[in-house]
Amino acid sequence: MSELPVVRNDSGTPTEHTSQDTSYNGDKTQPTEDILNALNALNPKAILEATQNGHEPALAPDDTPQDTSMDPPSEWHALREKLREHPHDPEGWNNLVDIAENSDDLEQVKQTYEALLETYPNTSSAQIAYLNHFLSPGLFQYAEELFKRFLRTSPSVDLWKFYITYVRRVNTSPTSREAVSRAYEFALNRIGQDKDSGEIWYDYVQFLKAGETNTTWEEQQKMDALRKVYHRAVQIPLENVEKLWSELETFENGLNKITAKKFMSDLSPSHMQARTVLRQLQRHLGPLFPPPPSSLSSRPSIHLPPAPTFNAAERALVGAWKTYLKWEENNPLEFEEKDKATLVSRVQLVYRKAVIRMRYYSEIWYMAFVWTNSIGKQEEALNILKAGMEANPTSFLLHFAYAEMQESRKEYAEVNATFDKLIDRLHVQLEELEARVNSATSSFSSDVTGRSVATSVPNSTTPGPTEPGTTSNNSSFATQNADEKPPKSKELQERRSEYGLVWIMYIRYARRAHDLKTFRAVFAKARKDRWTPWEVYEAAALMEYHCNKDGGLGVACRIFEKGLESFGDEIEFVLRYLGFLISVNDDNNARALFERVITAFSPERARPLWERWARYEYQFGDLEAAQKLEKRIAEVYPTDPPIKRFAQRHTYLGTDAIAARDLGFAMAGRQPAAGGNVATSVATLDRRTESFQSMVPASHVLQTQTSKRHSTPDLKRREDSVKPDFGPPSKRQRPLTPPRERDRERSDGPPHRRRFASPAGWEKERDRELGHLKRDRDEDKPSPLPAVLSWFVGQLPNPATFDGPIFRVDDLMTLFRNAVIPSVTRRATPPPPPPPPRGAARPPPDYGPYQGPGGRGGRRY
């Protein structure tokens, strides 16, 4: 990078700084040494204070309004207070700017823009509007301070254009042309790879052409400078690259046609590649930068990124950004190794624009971090994570990545602070959500002591065996649990589990980086938190069992017992505890636990416990114990068919020979799909279905039969439209058959057929009409699952017992929809349509630049 010009105006006052490229440091960075050295002529005292304090110079007074009177707050103050509480309100900020702009109060304007840029850093439209207030001669010093702050990390071409306009305004004499030239170089070294920077390239060329020369040597220097700028510009995918190429050709031919042919021939491949990339670039950037909405005021609207809702449009936008970023990483301009610095500068510029535009999407920040770290710039990568965490203070992705990065650097104090800060923020969110839930459902009332008491708890029919708030007699776990259990709602439970995940990551880190003693100290803190879920207890118990080789089993069991005191009414926790005891071959305690908790749950909730204990008894118990257990299960679930339990006792690893062979399930799937008498096949299927119903609970059979009895009017109309009449084909529309006649035909068989001219024609017509009848019978079949599948579903364990990976239904349905299935009739089938754009489902997390499970086309996530 070339040295940044120290731009001086005609009076000799320095107006700009050196063009030394600084690394990207997120939204807020410390002034680097080369920038400070180049700019200290502008305001040495302010720069010195910024360096000593580690902060930016304080350019605006405190925007905290001071109530000096009893007058009601003004409209500006009221809106400002509202934005302090809810800062992510783009419309509110635009209204605040309008009020400040119309007030003609410069201090209020300062406070407004400073507050806005603190919430939305690097918003170029706001920065330019802010600067416009200080372009009067008496206010140039403050404008220069703002330029120093804004230009350090800004990728905005508009802001750099504004800067160059300011530099040319204060440097108008011929003696200051060198300073203006250095300002152009400074700008182009920063944003010259942007496709919208073509205007700056063109203006620079015109500026060089306008320079006056007095000697042949000066003229030669001017031509060399012009050629250098032209050659750089025509290899970049600029909007006006073709115009610059045409001007270069004219320029070279005007000097020497022989050398012009050589120069143009050497540059032609790079220029053609730039033009090709420009077309691709335009397709990529079209949906990423839609035109701004029309402004209701006279000033242009300030684009501020809204808080994400992850709707279909936003998920599609995230996917488009990810596609574009990976495309840029793949070096579409085909830079050689010697030009790797140019590629790095270009991708870095793209990521800076991405994290400004997509400020509240952690996935984009993480991609920027991964790419920056992959090129060896670890400090910059950390600064990106810091800036991303400021923008997304409750992002699990960014905080976990930052904690791991600092752990690898042995910065343990920073890791502790990161986890503590995230836990505090999530705790506040849980308290706010609980207040909303309580206000909406009125599920909690206040007793005379002021303590919240549950009056009705959804999703819980039977209390646990113990009440929370008890203390253990064991000295190792004598800390006090939270006295009060939060209310149960779906969203609150999900947030609570996510909150527990942070505690689990925290105790994992404590055990990895330190020792078991530190891990236990972190777990003790978690136990005191009323929002800690049961998953934290299980994670801590398993960690003790696997990592503590001296008495770990006993400690793990005590942790499970402490968890049982608070989460005895959580069927999932009890199942995990029971499974742990079975896995360590502690059958006595496992049996005691089962007998202790089974009566605490209603039969509906207790089924997973019965199933889990039954599997254990079937595999490792004796026959008498298994039969006794079956008798107990039959008393609790009297509608379960006996054959179901017997068949489950004689299965292993999914192999069920009783169902497959004795009940004919294996043969059911091998029946011929076509041929034979359709009515006979349907009757056989009906008889088989009746035999299968003996294995299905009576309640399910009743539900299935109920669904058979009624058909909707729409279905009856479809039946009328396809009902066979066994007459000669006719193009006239036949009148609808009365419902009673149609039903009688279905039960008694088809009516008498009419005569045909030949038996062959009758057979052909009969086959055609039987095909209609078969389709008609198919529509009469119940919409619920067939009996075979119903039996199969009945054999599956309760969903609560599943502890494996969870797949998104949308992704599976998309996979099935786009799967190419060969045709059994060997017909020539057209190729499947291309998969729809991934706007209907949020793309998967793609931690580019590598290609992983989320790197495939389509699918956050």
Side-chain angles (χ1 to χ4, degrees), residues 100 130 193 251 264 274 298 305 314 350 471 574 693 738 779 827:
Y130 190 13
Q193 289 290 325
F251 168 77
M264 302 306 287
S298 57
E314 290 180 0
V350 169
T471 56
V574 177
Q693 289 174 354
E779 290 185 356
R827 291 186 297 107

Side-chain angles (χ1 to χ4, degrees), residues 466-472 479-483 527 562 565-566:
T466 56
E467 292 297 327
T470 58
T471 56
S472 172
T479 41
Q480 183 74 18
N481 286 336
D483 289 337
R527 291 184 60 224
K562 290 301 296 181
E565 296 176 3
S566 297

